[in-house]
Amino acid sequence: MEFEQAWLDYTKKASCKGSEDIKYICVKTRGEEQDELIKNGILELQRAFAGILGIELTVCQNLGEGHGICLTLTEGIQTEAYHVYENKGEITIEASDSKGILYGAFELIRQVRIGNPLGGLDLFKAPKMPMRMLNHWDNMDGSIERGYSGESFFFKQDRILVDERTVTYARLTASVGINAVVINNVNVKDAATWLITERYLDKVKELSDIFAGYGIKLYMSLNYAAPIELGELDSADPLSEDVRGWWKRQMELVFNRVPNLGGFLIKADSEGRPGPFTYGRTHADGANMLAEAAAPYGGKIIWRCFVYNCQQDWRDYKTDRARSGYDNFKGLDGEFLDNVILQIKNGPMDFQVREPVHPLFGGMTQTNQMLEVQIAQEYTGQQRHLCYLIPMFKEVLKFRTYVQEQDDTVEDIVSGRTFGQHNCGMAAVANTGDDANWTGHDMAAANWYGFGRLAFEPELSAEEIAKEWIRLTFGIDKQVEETLLFMLMTSWKAYEEYTSPLGIGWMVNPNYHYGPSVDGYEYSRWGTYHRADHMGIGVDRSREGTGYALLYNEPNASVYDDKEKCPDELLLFFHHIPYTWKLKSGKTVIQHIYDTHFDGVDMVDEMVERFMKLEGILPQKPYLRMVERFTHQKEHAREWRDQINAYFYRKSGISDEKGREIY
Ligand code: GCV
């Protein structure tokens, strides 16, 4: 399958002040051999300078008189960090390790391409989060769970693919500082269970070697019941000596064959996947068994907290899916080994357009934690609607958990500042596939780009990241930049306005999660209800209801528990409210629903109208691809508006104050 270069397309010419005299590139090591990362850094710079500036960089021993770029391995700089600076026309990329050199090379290329002059360049950057990871939900038959941009480029018909696309994927991923990738779906079934066996290890190694050349550790998702499903034992009890011995032998095999392996990601006792509960054991028992087996090889065990009862009766008002992550893991705080990291979704439900931050952040104090977000847009338009998610991720990172007086935000926790941890970071469920443009919607690539940039430098604003992505992808053009920036920055808000209101979430078609269906999940077993009747809507999660609001540290608990204080955008998540209730905005709940749904559609119309003016300015292929998506988004936003408005008009019997058309 043909593929494009996304934000690493070096065919677009540009000029860059200060680059005119650059001709050479040299490397100064501390005596060590140049490794693949440095070689790839040189190659990338040569390729970029040739493509963008028409400069052929010649490798030399010393720069001497000539102007050039010097890659210098030095001491005293944090791992993965880099210093890129100009002095008398010479550009130095300095780092303590070759990964820092590679990141510095990508930084220099970015500076050139976004149009910054090289004179006076002086950037020192160190990643804030130790782990910056992508989780692919790719299955070995080539399908992708919640994949919206084609088939897998890692797997096809139970085979592992390694080709040119793999290398380009690794370059794109490394260029934004991502340093870990899980290649297979967390729902590990069938052939994927065999990934840790001789059947696949040669190919896994090949893939991991390519990744290693770009500073990326390869991870795999594990089947907790592998000892049984591979036909070797009849139990997966984490306290059984046989089972523990089996995992030790298996880890020895895998890590010896794939030395660059980072470790494993595990979904256990969740949505039908096996886990330690079957044996009456805890998640700490399960995770620690694997961690002990992986520890001699430096392996990490990333254990997901997405554990809940997916067999709920909708009549049951006491069970609350939102509580389940907290209830299952809070009591285990401090029991996990140091190479275990708990991976926690940003909210307590499942990647809805608006959720409160997961209460385990700030709830646990002695456990390594990692934030899981989703750029695959499962519930936010499935890469057919534009929804730039970096503003949402920034809100999550900035959320104050009040776990201690200072350094208490989610960002502090997952950067390791709060508890001095080093096994922590941020993971995103990936949005790539084998579509030519990688992400189905061309603009969905901004989420992939943005996730990496944000995890590396969380202090960057969503606008700054968006601007970088626009310039790198489409070149420097004022109209293009203004238009696409407006669209990206409007898109999350617009999506929230025309879909489910005030933090209640869901209202989608069951199974495939696309399109409006207000009662789609209302009478199902998944624990995702809006509880609307003719008087009001919302789930009572206050102390009188499920008590979920009280899981937060103060003052958050009191704010969420009280409908007068609870922020409007989360009101229906925490409270059951009459339609006539006045929000802080001064509107009633029902009028808010009508207004936001009309406004959301207007916002989409404006985005699309502005986009259409880029005809003839943007390259034709991506322009036409996007026109198709935006045409659909316009129509689909109307469908959302009309279904939601009609449903609540009929339930409440209250007319729109503005007399607009409601079906
Ligand atoms: C990979 C949601 C999705 C599932 C996904 C699950 C998870 O329920 O719909 O497809 O499974 O989350 O995060 O494990």
Side-chain angles (χ1 to χ4, degrees), residues 135-139 143-146 182-187 265 304 345 350-351 372 374 376 378 429-430:
N135 289 180
H136 288 267
W137 286 356
D138 293 26
N139 298 316
S143 63
I144 302 178
E145 183 154 348
R146 314 303 174 190
V182 183
I183 54 172
N184 63 308
N185 189 359
V186 285
N187 290 323
L265 173 65
R304 295 176 85 227
K345 288 193 182 184
D350 197 9
F351 304 134
E372 177 178 329
Q374 194 197 50
E378 176 180 355
V429 177

PDB file of all heavy atoms in Angstrom, residues 135-139 143-146 182-187 265 304 345 350-351 372 374 376 378 429-430:
ATOM      1  N   ASN A 135      -0.230   2.947  22.214  1.00  0.00           N
ATOM      2  CA  ASN A 135      -0.829   1.603  22.331  1.00  0.00           C
ATOM      3  C   ASN A 135      -1.608   1.344  21.055  1.00  0.00           C
ATOM      4  O   ASN A 135      -2.599   2.034  20.783  1.00  0.00           O
ATOM      5  CB  ASN A 135      -1.843   1.539  23.483  1.00  0.00           C
ATOM      6  CG  ASN A 135      -1.208   1.603  24.866  1.00  0.00           C
ATOM      7  OD1 ASN A 135      -1.911   1.568  25.863  1.00  0.00           O
ATOM      8  ND2 ASN A 135       0.108   1.712  24.946  1.00  0.00           N
ATOM      9  N   HIS A 136      -1.162   0.386  20.277  1.00  0.00           N
ATOM     10  CA  HIS A 136      -1.926   0.024  19.083  1.00  0.00           C
ATOM     11  C   HIS A 136      -2.875  -1.095  19.453  1.00  0.00           C
ATOM     12  O   HIS A 136      -2.480  -2.042  20.135  1.00  0.00           O
ATOM     13  CB  HIS A 136      -0.982  -0.428  17.969  1.00  0.00           C
ATOM     14  CG  HIS A 136      -0.207   0.718  17.391  1.00  0.00           C
ATOM     15  ND1 HIS A 136      -0.629   1.415  16.294  1.00  0.00           N
ATOM     16  CD2 HIS A 136       0.933   1.309  17.794  1.00  0.00           C
ATOM     17  CE1 HIS A 136       0.231   2.388  16.037  1.00  0.00           C
ATOM     18  NE2 HIS A 136       1.186   2.349  16.934  1.00  0.00           N
ATOM     19  N   TRP A 137      -4.090  -0.998  18.969  1.00  0.00           N
ATOM     20  CA  TRP A 137      -5.072  -2.054  19.213  1.00  0.00           C
ATOM     21  C   TRP A 137      -5.196  -2.902  17.939  1.00  0.00           C
ATOM     22  O   TRP A 137      -6.286  -3.220  17.471  1.00  0.00           O
ATOM     23  CB  TRP A 137      -6.414  -1.449  19.621  1.00  0.00           C
ATOM     24  CG  TRP A 137      -6.445  -0.909  21.039  1.00  0.00           C
ATOM     25  CD1 TRP A 137      -5.452  -0.980  21.968  1.00  0.00           C
ATOM     26  CD2 TRP A 137      -7.541  -0.231  21.681  1.00  0.00           C
ATOM     27  NE1 TRP A 137      -5.863  -0.395  23.147  1.00  0.00           N
ATOM     28  CE2 TRP A 137      -7.128   0.077  22.999  1.00  0.00           C
ATOM     29  CE3 TRP A 137      -8.827   0.154  21.260  1.00  0.00           C
ATOM     30  CZ2 TRP A 137      -7.957   0.743  23.906  1.00  0.00           C
ATOM     31  CZ3 TRP A 137      -9.653   0.816  22.170  1.00  0.00           C
ATOM     32  CH2 TRP A 137      -9.219   1.106  23.477  1.00  0.00           C
ATOM     33  N   ASP A 138      -4.029  -3.270  17.388  1.00  0.00           N
ATOM     34  CA  ASP A 138      -3.990  -4.029  16.134  1.00  0.00           C
ATOM     35  C   ASP A 138      -4.090  -5.527  16.409  1.00  0.00           C
ATOM     36  O   ASP A 138      -3.396  -6.049  17.296  1.00  0.00           O
ATOM     37  CB  ASP A 138      -2.666  -3.757  15.398  1.00  0.00           C
ATOM     38  CG  ASP A 138      -2.551  -2.323  14.893  1.00  0.00           C
ATOM     39  OD1 ASP A 138      -3.199  -1.437  15.483  1.00  0.00           O
ATOM     40  OD2 ASP A 138      -1.808  -2.088  13.927  1.00  0.00           O
ATOM     41  N   ASN A 139      -4.922  -6.177  15.637  1.00  0.00           N
ATOM     42  CA  ASN A 139      -5.052  -7.630  15.747  1.00  0.00           C
ATOM     43  C   ASN A 139      -4.199  -8.292  14.678  1.00  0.00           C
ATOM     44  O   ASN A 139      -3.926  -7.702  13.630  1.00  0.00           O
ATOM     45  CB  ASN A 139      -6.524  -8.036  15.551  1.00  0.00           C
ATOM     46  CG  ASN A 139      -7.406  -7.426  16.619  1.00  0.00           C
ATOM     47  OD1 ASN A 139      -7.050  -7.438  17.806  1.00  0.00           O
ATOM     48  ND2 ASN A 139      -8.544  -6.868  16.211  1.00  0.00           N
ATOM     49  N   SER A 143      -6.966  -6.630  11.252  1.00  0.00           N
ATOM     50  CA  SER A 143      -7.987  -5.655  11.653  1.00  0.00           C
ATOM     51  C   SER A 143      -7.457  -4.839  12.836  1.00  0.00           C
ATOM     52  O   SER A 143      -6.477  -5.225  13.475  1.00  0.00           O
ATOM     53  CB  SER A 143      -9.270  -6.378  12.053  1.00  0.00           C
ATOM     54  OG  SER A 143      -9.021  -7.201  13.175  1.00  0.00           O
ATOM     55  N   ILE A 144      -8.110  -3.710  13.072  1.00  0.00           N
ATOM     56  CA  ILE A 144      -7.713  -2.881  14.221  1.00  0.00           C
ATOM     57  C   ILE A 144      -8.963  -2.605  15.042  1.00  0.00           C
ATOM     58  O   ILE A 144      -9.957  -2.091  14.505  1.00  0.00           O
ATOM     59  CB  ILE A 144      -7.084  -1.540  13.776  1.00  0.00           C
ATOM     60  CG1 ILE A 144      -5.862  -1.785  12.881  1.00  0.00           C
ATOM     61  CG2 ILE A 144      -6.699  -0.705  14.993  1.00  0.00           C
ATOM     62  CD1 ILE A 144      -5.195  -0.527  12.357  1.00  0.00           C
ATOM     63  N   GLU A 145      -8.942  -2.967  16.314  1.00  0.00           N
ATOM     64  CA  GLU A 145     -10.096  -2.665  17.164  1.00  0.00           C
ATOM     65  C   GLU A 145     -10.176  -1.148  17.320  1.00  0.00           C
ATOM     66  O   GLU A 145      -9.194  -0.495  17.688  1.00  0.00           O
ATOM     67  CB  GLU A 145      -9.942  -3.350  18.530  1.00  0.00           C
ATOM     68  CG  GLU A 145     -11.151  -3.110  19.416  1.00  0.00           C
ATOM     69  CD  GLU A 145     -11.376  -4.211  20.458  1.00  0.00           C
ATOM     70  OE1 GLU A 145     -10.746  -5.288  20.372  1.00  0.00           O
ATOM     71  OE2 GLU A 145     -12.199  -3.973  21.360  1.00  0.00           O
ATOM     72  N   ARG A 146     -11.329  -0.612  17.010  1.00  0.00           N
ATOM     73  CA  ARG A 146     -11.531   0.852  17.028  1.00  0.00           C
ATOM     74  C   ARG A 146     -10.530   1.551  16.106  1.00  0.00           C
ATOM     75  O   ARG A 146     -10.008   2.624  16.431  1.00  0.00           O
ATOM     76  CB  ARG A 146     -11.423   1.430  18.446  1.00  0.00           C
ATOM     77  CG  ARG A 146     -12.174   0.658  19.506  1.00  0.00           C
ATOM     78  CD  ARG A 146     -13.634   0.522  19.184  1.00  0.00           C
ATOM     79  NE  ARG A 146     -14.326  -0.351  20.138  1.00  0.00           N
ATOM     80  CZ  ARG A 146     -15.566  -0.783  19.965  1.00  0.00           C
ATOM     81  NH1 ARG A 146     -16.241  -0.450  18.893  1.00  0.00           N
ATOM     82  NH2 ARG A 146     -16.146  -1.532  20.852  1.00  0.00           N
ATOM     83  N   VAL A 182       3.353  -0.195  21.940  1.00  0.00           N
ATOM     84  CA  VAL A 182       2.765  -1.533  22.092  1.00  0.00           C
ATOM     85  C   VAL A 182       2.159  -1.882  20.738  1.00  0.00           C
ATOM     86  O   VAL A 182       1.300  -1.151  20.231  1.00  0.00           O
ATOM     87  CB  VAL A 182       1.634  -1.544  23.149  1.00  0.00           C
ATOM     88  CG1 VAL A 182       1.103  -2.950  23.340  1.00  0.00           C
ATOM     89  CG2 VAL A 182       2.116  -0.970  24.460  1.00  0.00           C
ATOM     90  N   ILE A 183       2.597  -2.988  20.154  1.00  0.00           N
ATOM     91  CA  ILE A 183       2.194  -3.239  18.770  1.00  0.00           C
ATOM     92  C   ILE A 183       0.849  -3.946  18.642  1.00  0.00           C
ATOM     93  O   ILE A 183       0.232  -3.891  17.595  1.00  0.00           O
ATOM     94  CB  ILE A 183       3.272  -4.048  17.999  1.00  0.00           C
ATOM     95  CG1 ILE A 183       3.612  -5.346  18.745  1.00  0.00           C
ATOM     96  CG2 ILE A 183       4.496  -3.198  17.741  1.00  0.00           C
ATOM     97  CD1 ILE A 183       4.509  -6.287  17.951  1.00  0.00           C
ATOM     98  N   ASN A 184       0.387  -4.645  19.681  1.00  0.00           N
ATOM     99  CA  ASN A 184      -0.855  -5.421  19.499  1.00  0.00           C
ATOM    100  C   ASN A 184      -1.930  -5.066  20.517  1.00  0.00           C
ATOM    101  O   ASN A 184      -1.648  -4.557  21.603  1.00  0.00           O
ATOM    102  CB  ASN A 184      -0.560  -6.930  19.535  1.00  0.00           C
ATOM    103  CG  ASN A 184      -0.015  -7.392  20.877  1.00  0.00           C
ATOM    104  OD1 ASN A 184       0.943  -6.841  21.386  1.00  0.00           O
ATOM    105  ND2 ASN A 184      -0.638  -8.410  21.453  1.00  0.00           N
ATOM    106  N   ASN A 185      -3.144  -5.371  20.135  1.00  0.00           N
ATOM    107  CA  ASN A 185      -4.351  -5.062  20.898  1.00  0.00           C
ATOM    108  C   ASN A 185      -4.290  -5.598  22.330  1.00  0.00           C
ATOM    109  O   ASN A 185      -3.818  -6.722  22.551  1.00  0.00           O
ATOM    110  CB  ASN A 185      -5.535  -5.710  20.146  1.00  0.00           C
ATOM    111  CG  ASN A 185      -6.885  -5.307  20.694  1.00  0.00           C
ATOM    112  OD1 ASN A 185      -6.997  -4.552  21.653  1.00  0.00           O
ATOM    113  ND2 ASN A 185      -7.942  -5.826  20.072  1.00  0.00           N
ATOM    114  N   VAL A 186      -4.836  -4.826  23.258  1.00  0.00           N
ATOM    115  CA  VAL A 186      -4.906  -5.292  24.655  1.00  0.00           C
ATOM    116  C   VAL A 186      -5.845  -6.496  24.818  1.00  0.00           C
ATOM    117  O   VAL A 186      -5.733  -7.236  25.782  1.00  0.00           O
ATOM    118  CB  VAL A 186      -5.367  -4.173  25.612  1.00  0.00           C
ATOM    119  CG1 VAL A 186      -4.259  -3.180  25.840  1.00  0.00           C
ATOM    120  CG2 VAL A 186      -6.633  -3.484  25.109  1.00  0.00           C
ATOM    121  N   ASN A 187      -6.782  -6.632  23.883  1.00  0.00           N
ATOM    122  CA  ASN A 187      -7.614  -7.845  23.889  1.00  0.00           C
ATOM    123  C   ASN A 187      -6.822  -8.909  23.134  1.00  0.00           C
ATOM    124  O   ASN A 187      -6.883  -9.002  21.916  1.00  0.00           O
ATOM    125  CB  ASN A 187      -8.957  -7.590  23.191  1.00  0.00           C
ATOM    126  CG  ASN A 187      -9.841  -6.674  24.016  1.00  0.00           C
ATOM    127  OD1 ASN A 187      -9.864  -6.751  25.243  1.00  0.00           O
ATOM    128  ND2 ASN A 187     -10.569  -5.787  23.353  1.00  0.00           N
ATOM    129  N   LEU A 265       1.990  -5.038  28.235  1.00  0.00           N
ATOM    130  CA  LEU A 265       0.777  -4.326  28.656  1.00  0.00           C
ATOM    131  C   LEU A 265      -0.301  -5.380  28.885  1.00  0.00           C
ATOM    132  O   LEU A 265      -0.450  -6.293  28.073  1.00  0.00           O
ATOM    133  CB  LEU A 265       0.356  -3.370  27.530  1.00  0.00           C
ATOM    134  CG  LEU A 265      -0.969  -2.635  27.658  1.00  0.00           C
ATOM    135  CD1 LEU A 265      -0.945  -1.653  28.831  1.00  0.00           C
ATOM    136  CD2 LEU A 265      -1.267  -1.826  26.375  1.00  0.00           C
ATOM    137  N   ARG A 304      -3.468  -2.438  33.223  1.00  0.00           N
ATOM    138  CA  ARG A 304      -4.547  -1.448  33.033  1.00  0.00           C
ATOM    139  C   ARG A 304      -5.569  -1.492  34.174  1.00  0.00           C
ATOM    140  O   ARG A 304      -5.890  -2.561  34.692  1.00  0.00           O
ATOM    141  CB  ARG A 304      -5.244  -1.670  31.692  1.00  0.00           C
ATOM    142  CG  ARG A 304      -4.310  -1.426  30.523  1.00  0.00           C
ATOM    143  CD  ARG A 304      -4.974  -1.733  29.218  1.00  0.00           C
ATOM    144  NE  ARG A 304      -5.746  -0.642  28.681  1.00  0.00           N
ATOM    145  CZ  ARG A 304      -6.975  -0.749  28.206  1.00  0.00           C
ATOM    146  NH1 ARG A 304      -7.624  -1.904  28.277  1.00  0.00           N
ATOM    147  NH2 ARG A 304      -7.590   0.276  27.676  1.00  0.00           N
ATOM    148  N   LYS A 345      -7.095   5.241  32.517  1.00  0.00           N
ATOM    149  CA  LYS A 345      -7.712   6.094  31.483  1.00  0.00           C
ATOM    150  C   LYS A 345      -7.942   7.489  32.060  1.00  0.00           C
ATOM    151  O   LYS A 345      -8.130   7.644  33.264  1.00  0.00           O
ATOM    152  CB  LYS A 345      -9.038   5.497  31.011  1.00  0.00           C
ATOM    153  CG  LYS A 345      -8.854   4.249  30.142  1.00  0.00           C
ATOM    154  CD  LYS A 345     -10.134   3.836  29.421  1.00  0.00           C
ATOM    155  CE  LYS A 345      -9.884   2.562  28.605  1.00  0.00           C
ATOM    156  NZ  LYS A 345     -11.019   2.120  27.788  1.00  0.00           N
ATOM    157  N   ASP A 350     -14.951   5.968  29.730  1.00  0.00           N
ATOM    158  CA  ASP A 350     -14.285   5.414  28.553  1.00  0.00           C
ATOM    159  C   ASP A 350     -14.132   6.441  27.433  1.00  0.00           C
ATOM    160  O   ASP A 350     -14.864   6.368  26.440  1.00  0.00           O
ATOM    161  CB  ASP A 350     -15.091   4.206  28.063  1.00  0.00           C
ATOM    162  CG  ASP A 350     -14.299   3.327  27.115  1.00  0.00           C
ATOM    163  OD1 ASP A 350     -13.096   3.575  26.980  1.00  0.00           O
ATOM    164  OD2 ASP A 350     -14.886   2.399  26.536  1.00  0.00           O
ATOM    165  N   PHE A 351     -13.201   7.336  27.561  1.00  0.00           N
ATOM    166  CA  PHE A 351     -12.837   8.237  26.463  1.00  0.00           C
ATOM    167  C   PHE A 351     -14.017   9.021  25.877  1.00  0.00           C
ATOM    168  O   PHE A 351     -14.124   9.175  24.649  1.00  0.00           O
ATOM    169  CB  PHE A 351     -12.148   7.472  25.341  1.00  0.00           C
ATOM    170  CG  PHE A 351     -10.937   6.687  25.755  1.00  0.00           C
ATOM    171  CD1 PHE A 351     -10.762   5.380  25.332  1.00  0.00           C
ATOM    172  CD2 PHE A 351      -9.948   7.253  26.553  1.00  0.00           C
ATOM    173  CE1 PHE A 351      -9.633   4.636  25.688  1.00  0.00           C
ATOM    174  CE2 PHE A 351      -8.820   6.522  26.921  1.00  0.00           C
ATOM    175  CZ  PHE A 351      -8.663   5.211  26.486  1.00  0.00           C
ATOM    176  N   GLU A 372      -3.637   7.122  30.446  1.00  0.00           N
ATOM    177  CA  GLU A 372      -4.009   6.581  29.125  1.00  0.00           C
ATOM    178  C   GLU A 372      -5.049   7.495  28.488  1.00  0.00           C
ATOM    179  O   GLU A 372      -6.106   7.731  29.065  1.00  0.00           O
ATOM    180  CB  GLU A 372      -4.576   5.164  29.281  1.00  0.00           C
ATOM    181  CG  GLU A 372      -5.048   4.548  27.964  1.00  0.00           C
ATOM    182  CD  GLU A 372      -5.580   3.114  28.124  1.00  0.00           C
ATOM    183  OE1 GLU A 372      -5.099   2.371  29.008  1.00  0.00           O
ATOM    184  OE2 GLU A 372      -6.502   2.752  27.364  1.00  0.00           O
ATOM    185  N   GLN A 374      -6.923   8.502  24.469  1.00  0.00           N
ATOM    186  CA  GLN A 374      -7.181   7.825  23.192  1.00  0.00           C
ATOM    187  C   GLN A 374      -7.204   8.845  22.068  1.00  0.00           C
ATOM    188  O   GLN A 374      -8.016   9.778  22.101  1.00  0.00           O
ATOM    189  CB  GLN A 374      -8.527   7.090  23.256  1.00  0.00           C
ATOM    190  CG  GLN A 374      -8.732   6.100  22.121  1.00  0.00           C
ATOM    191  CD  GLN A 374     -10.182   5.684  21.956  1.00  0.00           C
ATOM    192  OE1 GLN A 374     -11.047   6.537  21.899  1.00  0.00           O
ATOM    193  NE2 GLN A 374     -10.441   4.398  21.861  1.00  0.00           N
ATOM    194  N   ALA A 376      -7.571   7.673  19.004  1.00  0.00           N
ATOM    195  CA  ALA A 376      -8.330   6.978  17.953  1.00  0.00           C
ATOM    196  C   ALA A 376      -9.752   7.523  17.803  1.00  0.00           C
ATOM    197  O   ALA A 376     -10.474   7.121  16.901  1.00  0.00           O
ATOM    198  CB  ALA A 376      -8.370   5.485  18.226  1.00  0.00           C
ATOM    199  N   GLU A 378     -12.595   7.044  19.244  1.00  0.00           N
ATOM    200  CA  GLU A 378     -13.703   6.079  19.231  1.00  0.00           C
ATOM    201  C   GLU A 378     -15.051   6.758  19.497  1.00  0.00           C
ATOM    202  O   GLU A 378     -16.046   6.467  18.822  1.00  0.00           O
ATOM    203  CB  GLU A 378     -13.414   5.014  20.295  1.00  0.00           C
ATOM    204  CG  GLU A 378     -14.500   3.997  20.487  1.00  0.00           C
ATOM    205  CD  GLU A 378     -14.127   2.979  21.566  1.00  0.00           C
ATOM    206  OE1 GLU A 378     -12.999   3.011  22.085  1.00  0.00           O
ATOM    207  OE2 GLU A 378     -14.997   2.147  21.887  1.00  0.00           O
ATOM    208  N   VAL A 429      -3.927   5.576  22.908  1.00  0.00           N
ATOM    209  CA  VAL A 429      -4.408   4.541  21.993  1.00  0.00           C
ATOM    210  C   VAL A 429      -4.310   5.142  20.592  1.00  0.00           C
ATOM    211  O   VAL A 429      -4.890   6.196  20.310  1.00  0.00           O
ATOM    212  CB  VAL A 429      -5.856   4.135  22.321  1.00  0.00           C
ATOM    213  CG1 VAL A 429      -6.345   3.111  21.313  1.00  0.00           C
ATOM    214  CG2 VAL A 429      -5.946   3.606  23.740  1.00  0.00           C
ATOM    215  N   ALA A 430      -3.536   4.476  19.739  1.00  0.00           N
ATOM    216  CA  ALA A 430      -3.101   5.074  18.471  1.00  0.00           C
ATOM    217  C   ALA A 430      -4.230   5.218  17.454  1.00  0.00           C
ATOM    218  O   ALA A 430      -5.253   4.524  17.528  1.00  0.00           O
ATOM    219  CB  ALA A 430      -1.986   4.222  17.884  1.00  0.00           C
TER     220      ALA A 430
END
